[in-house]
Amino acid sequence: MAATVRDNPAESRYEIYDGDQLAGFSTYKLTADTIAFIHTEVGQAFSGRGLARQLVIAELDDARRRGLAVRPFCPYVREIILRLADTYLDLVPEAERERFGLVPDVV
């Protein structure tokens, strides 16, 4: 069965489900034009299946769809943004990228 990601605004988190089981979540703080991702977690029983990556990609895609700037306080969200910089780096305001370690190395 495929995993599904849902926004749960009442809990301020995105959740990923494996069938009807909650497999993980990513907490956030939302303002009018920004979403700050705080923490991402997947249950041990669901680890090693790429669910955390799927969760983060879905939430970043949703941020883009909603026109929100991203503040990646969560280290795993930062990692995904760095790995997929061509797709997601633009979501982090340029003036804040250095703060989150999202600037290219200068040689």
Side-chain angles (χ1 to χ4, degrees):
M1 183 173 285
T4 57
V5 175
R6 302 178 199 146
D7 184 11
N8 181 346
E11 297 289 328
S12 297
R13 68 188 198 175
Y14 284 87
E15 300 170 336
I16 189 162
Y17 288 84
D18 182 28
D20 61 351
Q21 289 189 297
L22 178 64
F25 61 87
S26 184
T27 58
Y28 63 80
K29 291 188 180 184
L30 182 65
T31 63
D33 60 354
T34 303
I35 189 164
F37 292 109
I38 310 302
H39 175 74
T40 302
E41 183 175 320
V42 171
Q44 189 173 7
F46 301 96
S47 66
R49 296 177 37 201
L51 295 178
R53 180 183 174 99
Q54 184 179 340
L55 173 61
V56 169
I57 287 173
E59 68 194 21
L60 291 172
D61 288 343
D62 192 49
R64 181 180 307 286
R65 182 188 60 76
R66 295 166 63 184
L68 297 171
V70 169
R71 288 192 174 125
F73 291 100
C74 171
Y76 188 70
V77 173
R78 283 195 306 271
E79 183 180 321
I80 294 299
I81 290 172
L82 280 172
R83 285 184 186 176
L84 303 172
D86 290 346
T87 305
Y88 296 113
L89 184 60
D90 66 304
L91 293 174
V92 180
E94 193 169 347
E96 295 188 38
R97 291 178 190 167
E98 185 174 355
R99 170 186 187 186
F100 295 108
L102 299 173
V103 291
D105 293 330
V106 179
V107 181

